[in-house]
Amino acid sequence: MARVPESQRVRDALENAVVDGRYRPGERLDPAELEREFGCSRTPVREALQDLQRSGLVQIRPKQGTYVTELSVPELAERFEVMAELEGMAARLSTRRIERRTLDELEEALRDCETHASAGDADRYYYANARFHDTIYGACGNAYLRQQAHTLQRALQPYRRLQLHVPDRMRRSLAEHRVIAAAITDGDEEAAENAARDHVLVQVKEFSHLVRAWNQVREPVRQGG
């Protein structure tokens, strides 16, 4: 198995720390402390923070520092709603334009999702899930749609990753993937669009439950600090 790049290891750990509430929205991140925490040099930390800035999870402010981005629950819900429409459109267009080779790639990504869901490995499922969706974006034949979907997807990645830890969510996510893949394979544009849209919209409900728990964990910290 290929070794995970150091910057990705730091990025993943920081994502988890933010969505787990260890680093709160609005909190300043100290690169020197992160180097000590992750036992690495300055370069992987800098690359990880730059990547997280591109995803929208952190903000790097010149001469001020790096801060965890603050998004309210309504702001997140709005982004998920837009993501759902983009996913639905991508699935519809992919159904119309996908090639046999790409269908095989979609099935391979689905098998990877099945493997990691069976193992209960949320982190590996997260990457297989990203590959599944990226395959659909790539097959849609619309470069602008693909670009917009990727931009928003990066901003929502930590939150999509977090909801995979909801009990039984991986199993249900996998079932939703199967419906999407079957509709695309069968050439049913409407079914593919609806299934892909619903797959994202259900995450709004999943995330709302997580946000309540997340805020309960963070509130004592705010009061104490």
Side-chain angles (χ1 to χ4, degrees):
M1 184 179 298
R3 183 174 179 272
V4 175
E6 192 74 352
S7 60
Q8 183 178 317
R9 178 181 72 85
V10 175
R11 181 195 191 284
D12 290 350
L14 278 172
E15 265 191 355
N16 286 332
V18 170
V19 296
D20 287 344
R22 196 152 60 83
Y23 293 115
R24 304 186 304 278
E27 183 173 347
R28 186 177 185 276
L29 300 174
D30 186 336
E33 290 184 6
L34 295 176
E35 290 167 29
R36 289 191 291 271
E37 178 179 349
F38 298 115
C40 64
S41 65
R42 180 179 303 176
T43 299
V45 169
R46 184 178 66 249
E47 290 175 350
L49 291 175
Q50 289 172 342
D51 196 17
L52 290 174
Q53 182 186 37
R54 285 190 290 271
S55 77
L57 188 63
V58 305
Q59 296 176 332
I60 300 176
R61 304 173 188 169
K63 299 182 180 181
Q64 295 184 45
T66 301
Y67 295 83
V68 179
T69 300
E70 287 190 273
L71 288 176
S72 67
V73 174
E75 287 174 328
L76 283 166
E78 289 173 352
R79 284 160 175 75
F80 270 110
E81 287 177 351
V82 174
M83 188 77 247
E85 295 303 320
L86 294 177
E87 292 266 1
M89 185 183 299
R92 172 168 53 81
L93 294 176
S94 294
T95 302
R96 186 183 308 168
R97 298 168 177 171
I98 197 165
E99 298 177 352
R100 180 68 256 176
R101 173 181 54 81
T102 311
L103 274 175
D104 292 340
E105 292 173 2
L106 189 66
E107 287 299 322
E108 184 178 346
L110 183 58
R111 286 194 296 271
D112 284 345
C113 288
E114 291 171 343
T115 297
H116 301 314
S118 297
D121 191 332
D123 287 333
R124 291 188 183 279
Y125 184 92
Y126 166 76
Y127 289 111
N129 171 74
R131 182 183 171 198
F132 178 85
H133 289 280
D134 284 346
T135 302
I136 294 174
Y137 299 151
C140 76
N142 186 311
Y144 184 75
L145 171 59
R146 183 166 64 248
Q147 177 188 9
Q148 296 303 307
H150 278 147
T151 298
L152 187 52
Q153 183 191 49
R154 284 195 298 271
L156 293 174
Q157 273 178 347
Y159 307 102
R160 297 182 79 164
R161 184 174 189 168
L162 177 61
Q163 56 89 30
L164 290 174
H165 292 276
V166 170
D168 201 40
R169 177 57 197 150
M170 270 193 293
R171 182 193 64 79
R172 288 181 286 116
S173 172
L174 176 60
E176 292 158 15
H177 282 182
R178 286 174 174 148
V179 173
I180 296 169
I184 292 175
T185 301
D186 292 343
D188 190 333
E189 295 181 23
E190 183 177 359
E193 180 175 18
N194 290 337
R197 183 191 299 115
D198 291 346
H199 174 60
V200 177
L201 287 177
V202 74
Q203 295 176 68
V204 179
K205 299 176 184 177
E206 300 286 0
F207 185 66
S208 66
H209 296 307
L210 284 170
V211 165
R212 283 196 290 271
W214 188 23
N215 286 335
Q216 288 171 2
V217 170
R218 286 160 44 207
E219 192 60 34
V221 177
R222 285 203 187 103
Q223 294 174 355

